[in-house]
Amino acid sequence: MDQNGSITEFTSVKDITAQYNSADRESQATQVKEINKRREIEFKASHILLLGFFSWIFLLHGIGIYFFTKGFLLTRLVLDHKSECASPPIDLGAQSPGSYAAGCWHPKTFDKAVIIIIDALRYDFTVPFPTEPHHFHNALNVLQETAVQSPENAFLLPFIADPPTATLQRLKGLTTGTLPTFIDAGSNFAGTAIEEDNLVAQLRDAGKTLVHLGDDTWHSLFPGYFDPNLTHAYDSFNVWDLHTVDNGVTEHLLPLLTPENTGKWDVIFGHYLGVDHAGHRYGPDHPTTNIKLREMDTVLREVISLLDKNTLLVVMGDHGMDVKGDHGGESDDEVEAALWLYSKKAVFGRGHNGLLEPPRTAKERPVSQIDLVPTLSFLLGMPVPFNNLGAPITEAFVGPGKPDWQGLASVNALAAAQISKYQLEYSHARGLDEDVFSLPQTIRENGLRSLQEALQSGKSDNFRTAFLTFSRYQRETLQICRSLWARFDIANMLQGITVLVCAVGILAYFARWSGAANAELVPVYLAHISIASALGIASSLVTVLIPSGVYWGDACLLGLAGGGIAGFGYAVFKLHPPFTLPFPKSLWGWLALVFTLSQSIGFASNSYTIWEDEIMLCFLNTFALVAFASSVRQELIIERMLGMSQAGVFLVLTRLASLSRLCREEQMPNCRSTYYASNTSSTSAPWQLLIPLLLATLLPFVIKTYYNGTRSYEGPATLWVGFAFRVGLLGSAIFWIFDAADDNDWLTMEKDTLRTIKIIVSRIVLGMAFVIGTTTFVRGSPCISIQVTPQENDSAGEDVRKPKSVKIFGYSNVHGTRFFLLVTNWIIAIVLLQKPMGAGAIGILTVQILALLEIIDSNDISQSAIGPIILGLLGSFHFFKTGHQATLSSIQWESAFIPLTTIRYPWSPLLVMLNTYGAQILTTVAVPLIALWKQPPGKRGLLSGVSKALATLLLYYAVINLATSLWAGWLRRHLMLYRIFSPRFMNGATVLLVVDLVGILVAIGSLRWNFASIAEVFGWN
């Protein structure tokens, strides 16, 4: 550096002429080899131990999250009792025939049934909309028409689902009549078979021939229940396929309804997915959704024409969809489905209220989805499933013309009696006090007295009173059951919180207080952790032998965690570190602390959580401004200009990224989505296709510019960044152009051909990223070039060779530029899996990472916590900018099918993870660069620097997870728990585990090849 502060060639180029011409160079070679071998062994041992330490941290996080989740996510005890046909819960004499032929508990109305589920059939899709209709209006008209024209043959009602509004959980409720919880004891969210009593099982036990057509979720819930010769199941997860399932259902359904085939079956379950998939892919307000609804209208009219008088036709939605076509939450649009019952014989009515037309909105006269179970059970002459909590739907039993109050009183008395039996058994199983259900039981006893009086007097008003009393009993019981299943296991929650708090403390000590050489202490930590963990497991097993009701697996996990934590604490005590107050010693440290703690405290507020993306924007802007001010104070001109310019770049890119936005429901109307074509769309606008093309053009050039800053655009960088990386990004752009052509019918080629091309392109891109890219990183050389030039002789005619000039270009950033090649591999894959707007956000994130590295270098803050914390904030910020929110409905499931035609494990879930958490994954992969950027080969302590940076990043995410867990537990009775706080907790826990794994397998795991490549040229240091 000269006096004016101008940079010289030395910072980027290393002159090793003296070493090259050393006289004893050959004699030193043997010593160098021996030293290198020893240092290589030491490095590999330290590397493996470091992987073990972070794996233990991952284990602690998993155990803590497991116990908190076990106590927090609501559970319900599943009883294995079965209702019997010949044993009605109450004797109504002739009203309870007690046989499958005439009806079990109530005389049956129908012999057969066709039950059609139109997935995501929202109620407002089925009623007319006279003024300024959307695409989803006035397309499916047959349900409204029949309900108005023939009220004795059909009725249409809002059909309210209980959240979560996922198809799997909805099917459980629709067949068992029970309320959903996140975890059912004996079942789970992943789709295992339903073991408790249910309508499908009752039909099978009655000897009915059951046929299933469509969504294959039914087969995971009811394996072996359906006739294998007539049943046809289709993959339900490919949301890009709008027609295969629907065409298959219609193709096999209509022939079964013809007279020559009606004797082959008793009940048909047909599950259409086209409307749901159209919503996911395009949004409800799209011409494709209109086409699918009209298709359903045509199919239902054909089914009606083929139906006989002894067959009941049921059409329903399992849930609705939000304005973007997604579901899973509890918004009105997601829970308001439609239910329509039809028969060619006049059995239905409206005499109880005199309202012949269906409700205009879903807020009028809704019925719960669990009410369908007793309704179908009585209509088909089946016993009501034992765990049912629903009530018979009034319109199905009030009869045509004058209200049949006796019939209504009878079916409600039976349903109430069955609920009472369930109440009693559940109370015994859970050890509940008799007073819990005392009020509902009093109401039911009043209903029984009214029924007895009505039977004796024969008065219609008495039957009506009994009916209303039993209905009230059902509502009161349902309310109590909701409160019972909203009881949290505080002990498990506290155990999980304790483990998570300890994990945060361990990370904080390791990252910030254990000293610069923390990697050297890992063998001591692991030795004590291993011994103490073994003792903890052993002691827990001894504890289990004493009857305590503790599951041995849980005891072992607690012993493992507790022992390991104690072992780490003992190791720290044994090392006798000097005591220092755990407070930052610089402005940067305080800034990192304020960012982390203020965000954690803010999660106690639902409005803060809703507007989290705007809070991230504020934090990142603040950092950029502080970085700019700090750079102004740098003494050297080059450092000053570099820091100021990169802080400006960081600030501008942050503001640019903020233009990409996906609004959640609670942000409306103060937010406007730009991620898709509109607020109600799930597809990209045509102009957004330019973003991936610009990315392929500009991003390699920008990376080259940063490499040129240290003369590092050499070796593999020229081929990979300049060519392969650009080709990968261009392949992603081509994929999304073809996808838009498929969505909008821009090309005349066959759809199947177009989809095949898309899959081929996407697989090539992913192959470049993970196969070719990984091979290049593992086998590639450093991004340097060695220039050897002969110097001129001092005098003409001399036959004496002068020493050569040997210079290494890219020397000063050899570690950072080579490791960044790994980051580019992940950029290619993540960009492919994002929509065009998300690809732009990932491109901006890439440049922000490089700008952050330059800011850290120019301000000499690589040892500060601010670098990893800002990477964590960038990951969280761009999570929102890539079209995601902390809601189930924002998950972009279609990303699982970008390179696949069907679900394939484990690839489909991994693709969804890469799409959802791509920003956090990318920043985790890049975190070693905080210690490696602009570091020459001889720099010592780099492994400790990387471990410190990764531990700080994990600390940030661990604190966020701890905060969201604490606030979700504290606010467990909050009205917005399941809409806001619970999804944010689940998102925080998932992000932490994903970042843990990526940090272990990629960030730390890949260091071995990075250091080995550099050691081949410069030796081990």
Side-chain angles (χ1 to χ4, degrees), residues 412-435:
N412 279 273
L414 288 165
Q418 177 54 48
I419 292 173
S420 180
K421 285 184 64 176
Y422 172 71
Q423 253 180 23
L424 181 63
E425 294 296 335
Y426 193 88
S427 297
H428 287 166
R430 282 295 196 192
L432 302 177
D433 294 335
E434 295 181 0
D435 295 339

Side-chain angles (χ1 to χ4, degrees), residues 113-117 312-316 339-342 372 376:
V114 176
I115 301 171
I116 294 177
I117 298 94
L312 170 68
L313 176 59
V314 181
V315 176
M316 60 181 161
L339 173 68
W340 178 77
L341 268 65
Y342 175 84
L372 181 67
L376 291 183

Side-chain angles (χ1 to χ4, degrees), residues 47-68:
H47 182 249
I48 291 173
L49 291 174
L50 200 60
L51 288 172
F53 177 78
F54 281 107
S55 298
W56 176 66
I57 294 293
F58 168 71
L59 189 62
L60 281 185
H61 288 154
I63 292 173
I65 290 170
Y66 164 73
F67 278 100
F68 181 83

Side-chain angles (χ1 to χ4, degrees), residues 694-947:
L694 289 173
L695 199 65
T697 304
L698 298 178
L699 189 56
F701 173 77
V702 173
I703 295 174
K704 176 183 176 181
T705 302
Y706 280 93
Y707 271 53
N708 279 334
T710 53
R711 304 288 295 273
S712 300
Y713 196 67
E714 307 287 348
T718 56
L719 179 61
W720 184 252
V721 177
F723 176 72
F725 181 60
R726 190 186 303 275
V727 170
L729 294 178
L730 186 61
S732 298
I734 292 172
F735 171 86
W736 287 108
I737 290 173
F738 277 121
D739 181 71
D742 187 15
D743 287 344
N744 299 284
D745 296 324
W746 290 344
L747 301 177
T748 57
M749 70 172 61
E750 292 289 333
K751 290 280 188 179
D752 290 341
T753 303
L754 189 56
R755 288 167 190 160
T756 301
I757 293 173
K758 285 165 51 181
I759 290 174
I760 292 174
V761 170
S762 62
R763 289 182 178 180
I764 290 173
V765 172
L766 289 175
M768 288 188 63
F770 291 127
V771 180
I772 300 176
T774 301
T775 303
T776 300
F777 177 77
V778 171
R779 294 182 164 274
S781 59
C783 299
I784 60 173
S785 67
I786 301 176
Q787 186 182 83
V788 182
T789 57
Q791 295 182 355
E792 295 181 0
N793 294 333
D794 290 337
S795 59
E798 286 189 8
D799 194 21
V800 179
R801 297 183 63 84
K802 294 291 185 180
K804 294 180 178 180
S805 172
V806 183
K807 296 181 180 179
I808 303 175
F809 292 87
Y811 181 87
S812 64
N813 197 12
V814 63
H815 281 285
T817 51
R818 192 190 185 283
F819 190 86
F820 192 81
L821 296 180
L822 177 67
V823 178
T824 61
N825 298 344
W826 288 85
I827 293 170
I828 294 173
I830 294 170
V831 164
L832 171 69
L833 297 175
Q834 305 296 330
K835 297 291 178 84
M837 202 73 170
I842 294 298
I844 290 174
L845 172 59
T846 303
V847 183
Q848 285 184 295
I849 290 172
L850 290 167
L852 174 64
L853 296 174
E854 295 292 349
I855 292 170
I856 291 172
D857 176 69
S858 62
N859 288 273
D860 193 22
I861 51 175
S862 61
Q863 295 300 313
S864 171
I866 192 64
I869 297 300
I870 294 301
L871 276 181
L873 289 172
L874 283 172
S876 299
F877 178 67
H878 285 279
F879 166 79
F880 297 105
K881 301 303 112 180
T882 51
H884 300 97
Q885 288 281 352
T887 59
L888 293 174
S889 60
S890 71
I891 299 175
Q892 299 170 21
W893 299 108
E894 64 272 21
S895 58
F897 298 96
I898 288 177
L900 303 172
T901 57
T902 186
I903 299 176
R904 292 186 181 178
Y905 293 98
W907 310 117
S908 296
L910 289 176
L911 291 168
V912 175
M913 282 288 184
L914 269 175
N915 168 272
T916 305
Y917 302 116
Q920 289 99 327
I921 290 172
L922 188 60
T923 52
T924 305
V925 173
V927 75
L929 289 167
I930 290 176
L932 300 179
W933 193 253
K934 290 192 175 180
Q935 297 297 341
K939 181 73 172 181
R940 294 185 179 275
L942 289 181
L943 189 60
S944 291
V946 171
S947 65

Side-chain angles (χ1 to χ4, degrees), residues 340-357:
W340 178 77
L341 268 65
Y342 175 84
S343 166
K344 285 194 172 178
K345 58 183 177 182
V347 293
F348 305 136
R350 315 283 196 281
H352 63 295
N353 56 28
L355 300 174
L356 297 181
E357 291 195 5

Side-chain angles (χ1 to χ4, degrees), residues 340-650:
W340 178 77
L341 268 65
Y342 175 84
S343 166
K344 285 194 172 178
K345 58 183 177 182
V347 293
F348 305 136
R350 315 283 196 281
H352 63 295
N353 56 28
L355 300 174
L356 297 181
E357 291 195 5
R360 294 184 178 181
T361 71
K363 303 296 187 294
E364 304 171 32
R365 308 186 336 254
V367 296
S368 175
Q369 289 196 351
I370 60 174
D371 295 342
L372 181 67
V373 173
T375 302
L376 291 183
S377 297
F378 290 133
L379 290 175
L380 296 174
M382 295 292 111
V384 177
F386 189 86
N387 295 336
N388 167 73
L389 292 172
I393 297 172
T394 305
E395 283 79 356
F397 300 98
V398 70
K402 187 178 179 180
D404 181 8
W405 296 115
Q406 182 175 358
L408 280 174
S410 298
V411 292
N412 279 273
L414 288 165
Q418 177 54 48
I419 292 173
S420 180
K421 285 184 64 176
Y422 172 71
Q423 253 180 23
L424 181 63
E425 294 296 335
Y426 193 88
S427 297
H428 287 166
R430 282 295 196 192
L432 302 177
D433 294 335
E434 295 181 0
D435 295 339
V436 172
F437 290 103
S438 59
L439 176 60
Q441 285 298 347
T442 301
I443 297 173
R444 177 172 171 268
E445 289 170 4
N446 293 336
L448 289 173
R449 280 195 294 269
S450 297
L451 182 60
Q452 285 296 111
E453 293 173 2
L455 291 172
Q456 293 173 2
S457 65
K459 292 182 179 180
S460 177
D461 288 344
N462 288 344
F463 283 115
R464 182 175 181 273
T465 301
F467 156 66
L468 294 175
T469 305
F470 288 129
S471 296
R472 183 188 168 202
Y473 164 78
Q474 186 268 342
R475 292 193 301 270
E476 292 288 342
T477 304
L478 190 61
Q479 184 176 355
I480 291 175
C481 287
R482 288 184 191 276
S483 65
L484 284 175
W485 296 334
R487 292 187 177 180
F488 301 86
D489 190 334
I490 305 299
N492 274 323
M493 292 170 63
L494 288 176
Q495 289 169 349
I497 290 294
T498 302
V499 174
L500 291 175
V501 168
C502 292
V504 166
I506 290 168
L507 278 174
Y509 177 82
F510 182 81
R512 310 314 314 165
W513 301 324
S514 62
N518 53 9
E520 298 176 5
L521 301 176
V522 168
V524 180
Y525 296 149
L526 283 181
H528 288 81
I529 289 169
S530 300
I531 295 172
S533 296
L535 292 174
I537 294 174
S539 61
S540 65
L541 288 175
V542 172
T543 304
V544 171
L545 296 177
I546 303 172
S548 59
V550 179
Y551 175 57
W552 71 269
D554 289 351
C556 288
L557 289 176
L558 285 175
L560 175 65
I565 293 167
F568 182 86
Y570 179 74
V572 171
F573 175 78
K574 187 177 180 181
L575 291 171
H576 297 294
F579 176 78
T580 57
L581 292 175
F583 296 116
K585 298 180 176 59
S586 67
L587 172 64
W588 296 111
W590 279 108
L591 199 63
L593 183 65
V594 169
F595 284 162
T596 305
L597 292 184
S598 60
Q599 186 180 2
S600 302
I601 295 171
F603 286 125
S605 166
N606 57 341
S607 58
Y608 180 100
T609 307
I610 290 169
W611 292 97
E612 184 182 356
D613 53 342
E614 297 298 317
I615 305 299
M616 298 293 100
L617 175 63
C618 176
F619 286 167
L620 292 173
N621 285 341
T622 301
F623 166 76
L625 293 174
V626 174
F628 186 88
S630 176
S631 299
V632 169
R633 301 177 58 189
Q634 298 297 316
E635 295 182 2
L636 300 176
I637 293 177
I638 186 63
E639 301 292 348
R640 188 185 314 152
M641 298 304 296
L642 181 62
M644 291 169 59
S645 63
Q646 294 306 309
V649 168
F650 190 94

